[in-house]
Amino acid sequence: MSSSLKNTVLILTLAVLLPVAIFSAVEVASLNENEQMLEQVYREQLDGIIFSVNQYAADLFDFYIQQIDYQYQQEGFSSLSDPGAIKGNLAIEFIALSTPAIQTIDFNEQTELGSFNIDSAFSANELLIERLIRYKETDYIKQEVIGEIRNTNENIQISLIIIGKDTPCLVFIDPVAYIEDLLAPKIQQITTQAINTNVRDTITNRIVYQSKVEPTGIIQSGPLNKTPGYEINVSLYAQSVTDLISYRTKRNLITLSIVVFIILAGMVLIIRNLRKEIQLNKTKADFVANVSHEIRTPLALISMFNETLLMGRVKEDKKYEYYEIISKETSRLKNIVNKILSFSQIDANKKAYNFSKVSPDEIIKDVVNSYSYHLSEKGFTYDLNLNGNIEINADHEAFSEVLINLIDNAMKYSKEEKHIVLESKSDQTHYILDVSDKGVGIDKKNQKNIFDKFFRVEGGNVHNTKGTGLGLSLVAEIMKAHNAEISVESTLGEGSQFTLKFPII
């Protein structure tokens, strides 16, 4: 990796990963604070539920007490004996009034007072009665729980109130019926499926009311209004606040990890693209240097021999040799320019092909015949093993260019054993041409890149061989335009075989 790419990677790492790392550290550090804040929010919401239930309980109890007070003021004690006076409130078991004689109504008709003495209850709470009368003078009926009766069958709470103008009244209430029949529907309305609620007798620890789902952990608790000794407990469905916070924390960390992973993946892609871009710039620079060298050499030879001829210092028997060199270097220069022009047209998608039915073997013979002089001059032998009777849809000039590039490559990279074989064959669907040589070969790691633009194998004698790096790239592009395929099999030090496959028309 070059120093410029290393610097770029380092800058990207610092620019992207450093903020992510800082954000992650801050997020993790603030998790505890967020947990406490979230727990406080949930507790306040659950407190709101408890408050709503208690507010309804107080309003409901006050409503029935006001009904009793209204009936008593309108028609006296006799009207209270009618169960309709309390509108079917099954929670009220018994009423006792001091008028001044004791008058009682047993709505249950089976209420067991046990050892509880009603007279004693009134006389023992004279000071409380005086205070409650003062409240009543302001049109406020205040309830005070003064005791309870517990037996095997039931639990009754006893409240003292003032009705009428100044009449003390004991109200005996069944808290279980009060909770189950009157409060339960409201609790179900206030809470949702995400909330568990239960009401517990704190003395016996018995659950009086419970939602359908077992609570997983009590989050908030509070006394139940108007029914001392009973507690309402509210929790989240299927998990405690701690569990919920743990889940949210885990989810946030997973989300953060995914974000970091996506950023890292993006960085990898950016670095790969940068690496390719830097490599492309390097190959382009090498291409310019190679082309400059390739063009400079024939130009220098042409210029030198041309000047020699113009000066008339050449013997007659040497003139033909100089003209031949000039012709050869001109042809070489022309081939370089043609390659660059073809590449430029293909790269800009402006290359126009003139497709027609052609005999590929005939084109091969023509190309080899035109190259025979160069082949023999450089000591090459060749074999032609041609099928001879296949036609394909191809551009004559482009097909010739493919052959010229492959033969030229074989000549460039064959150092000792100078032999080239061109063999054609066909199957039911394709015309196949193999171009083989006994040259230096291509190692495995470079075989996948040899058709890339500007690519040249680095290192050794191969890199010292003259060339532009465009030949095989042009071949690949021409084959692609013909809906044909090209592949290579090569062993380092033993030679290469390029295989062309054209669809048969």
Side-chain angles (χ1 to χ4, degrees):
M1 186 183 293
S2 64
S3 59
S4 60
L5 183 58
K6 288 181 180 178
N7 292 336
T8 304
V9 171
L10 180 61
I11 292 171
L12 277 174
T13 303
L14 292 176
V16 178
L17 288 186
L18 188 60
V20 171
I22 294 174
F23 174 77
S24 302
V26 172
E27 182 71 13
V28 172
S30 64
L31 283 177
N32 186 51
E33 180 181 348
N34 292 339
E35 288 178 10
Q36 294 177 356
M37 183 168 57
L38 184 61
E39 182 172 359
Q40 183 62 30
V41 170
Y42 275 112
R43 288 191 180 279
E44 289 177 358
Q45 290 179 348
L46 297 178
D47 279 338
I49 293 174
I50 295 174
F51 175 81
S52 298
V53 172
N54 275 327
Q55 186 64 43
Y56 177 77
D59 293 343
L60 186 66
F61 190 86
D62 290 343
F63 171 76
Y64 285 112
I65 295 302
Q66 288 170 4
Q67 288 291 321
I68 294 173
D69 179 54
Y70 177 78
Q71 290 293 117
Y72 180 74
Q73 290 190 58
Q74 294 296 317
E75 302 180 22
F77 177 77
S78 60
S79 67
L80 298 178
S81 59
D82 180 8
I86 56 173
K87 297 185 184 300
N89 185 349
L90 303 179
I92 299 179
E93 298 266 327
F94 194 88
I95 293 178
L97 282 73
S98 176
T99 59
I102 303 299
Q103 296 179 297
T104 62
I105 301 174
D106 187 357
F107 293 104
N108 191 22
E109 297 182 354
Q110 295 180 352
T111 304
E112 297 180 9
L113 301 183
S115 60
F116 185 80
N117 187 288
I118 295 176
D119 286 331
S120 298
F122 281 121
S123 59
N125 289 283
E126 289 182 354
L127 294 177
L128 177 60
I129 290 172
E130 290 179 3
R131 181 158 56 87
L132 294 177
I133 289 174
R134 288 196 294 272
Y135 279 112
K136 188 64 172 61
E137 288 173 353
T138 63
D139 291 327
Y140 173 60
I141 303 177
K142 182 174 175 57
Q143 170 213 11
E144 290 287 350
V145 177
I146 62 171
E148 64 177 356
I149 301 172
R150 286 184 177 267
N151 52 50
T152 55
N153 295 326
E154 59 184 349
N155 172 27
I156 298 175
Q157 289 185 347
I158 305 167
S159 296
L160 177 61
I161 62 172
I162 302 297
I163 61 175
K165 183 178 180 181
D166 54 3
T167 302
C169 176
L170 295 177
V171 181
F172 294 72
I173 299 173
D174 181 353
V176 175
Y178 177 71
I179 293 167
E180 290 181 344
D181 298 336
L182 302 179
L183 286 186
K186 187 63 178 179
I187 293 174
Q188 293 174 1
Q189 181 183 352
I190 292 175
T191 57
T192 64
Q193 293 183 352
I195 302 295
N196 293 317
T197 309
N198 69 42
V199 179
R200 182 175 63 90
D201 185 337
T202 57
I203 296 177
T204 62
N205 208 35
R206 182 170 72 93
I207 301 297
V208 176
Y209 165 80
Q210 180 174 295
S211 55
K212 293 182 180 180
V213 184
E214 283 283 346
T216 58
I218 301 304
I219 303 305
Q220 283 297 84
S221 302
L224 189 61
N225 205 349
K226 301 297 183 180
T227 50
Y230 288 84
E231 180 182 65
I232 181 171
N233 304 303
V234 185
S235 67
L236 295 176
Y237 169 67
Q239 53 188 338
S240 65
V241 170
T242 303
D243 294 334
L244 183 61
I245 293 171
S246 176
Y247 166 75
R248 290 171 64 93
T249 301
K250 186 183 297 183
R251 185 185 65 184
N252 290 342
L253 289 175
I254 290 174
T255 303
L256 185 60
S257 300
I258 293 173
V259 171
V260 171
F261 174 78
I262 292 173
I263 291 173
L264 288 174
M267 280 192 62
V268 170
L269 291 176
I270 291 172
I271 291 170
R272 287 184 62 184
N273 289 336
L274 281 174
R275 194 169 184 176
K276 285 183 178 180
E277 191 66 26
I278 291 172
Q279 183 63 35
L280 182 60
N281 289 335
K282 180 178 179 299
T283 54
K284 284 182 178 180
D286 291 341
F287 166 73
V288 172
N290 290 331
V291 168
S292 299
H293 178 73
E294 285 282 284
I295 293 176
R296 189 183 298 115
T297 301
L299 283 177
L301 290 172
I302 292 170
S303 178
M304 181 183 70
F305 284 107
N306 186 53
E307 287 179 5
T308 302
L309 289 169
L310 288 174
M311 292 174 67
R313 296 177 181 178
V314 184
K315 297 179 180 180
E316 287 296 327
D317 58 342
K318 285 285 186 178
K319 285 184 179 180
Y320 180 78
E321 181 183 346
Y322 288 0
Y323 285 134
E324 190 176 12
I325 292 172
I326 291 172
S327 177
K328 183 177 69 175
E329 294 303 321
T330 302
S331 178
R332 178 180 167 190
L333 187 60
K334 178 183 175 183
N335 287 336
I336 295 172
V337 173
N338 285 339
K339 277 186 181 180
I340 296 173
L341 289 175
S342 294
F343 173 78
S344 176
Q345 290 175 342
I346 290 174
D347 199 45
N349 293 321
K350 293 181 179 180
K351 177 70 173 177
Y353 294 94
N354 183 21
F355 290 98
S356 62
K357 290 183 181 181
V358 297
S359 172
D361 286 354
E362 293 301 321
I363 299 175
I364 293 170
K365 291 176 184 177
D366 292 341
V367 171
V368 172
N369 285 335
S370 64
Y371 251 73
S372 59
Y373 174 78
H374 299 286
L375 289 168
S376 61
E377 186 184 29
K378 294 192 176 184
F380 278 86
T381 59
Y382 62 89
D383 289 330
L384 291 181
N385 302 317
L386 305 178
N387 186 294
N389 55 0
I390 300 295
E391 286 189 339
I392 63 173
N393 190 32
D395 182 295
H396 188 288
E397 184 180 341
F399 188 85
S400 299
E401 189 170 2
V402 168
L403 294 175
I404 290 170
N405 276 291
L406 292 179
I407 294 172
D408 190 47
N409 265 13
M411 293 172 64
K412 283 180 181 178
Y413 299 110
S414 294
K415 302 301 180 184
E416 296 178 1
E417 190 173 350
K418 299 182 178 183
H419 185 69
I420 301 172
V421 178
L422 288 90
E423 181 177 1
S424 66
K425 54 191 174 183
S426 64
D427 56 22
Q428 294 181 349
T429 57
H430 289 87
Y431 169 83
I432 303 169
L433 174 64
D434 294 328
V435 181
S436 308
D437 63 58
K438 300 294 183 180
V440 295
I442 309 165
D443 59 10
K444 292 291 184 183
K445 68 176 182 178
N446 286 316
Q447 287 181 21
K448 63 181 180 180
N449 299 320
I450 59 174
F451 298 108
D452 293 344
K453 299 172 184 178
F454 311 117
F455 180 80
R456 299 193 72 210
V457 176
E458 295 183 357
N461 295 327
V462 174
H463 188 64
N464 296 328
T465 303
K466 297 177 182 180
T468 60
L470 295 180
L472 290 179
S473 175
L474 286 172
V475 169
E477 291 295 336
I478 291 172
M479 295 295 290
K480 182 179 178 182
H482 283 71
N483 293 321
E485 300 173 10
I486 182 169
S487 59
V488 62
E489 291 184 9
S490 184
T491 303
L492 199 61
E494 296 183 10
S496 304
Q497 176 177 296
F498 289 87
T499 300
L500 312 178
K501 292 180 68 175
F502 290 86
I504 297 174
I505 57 174

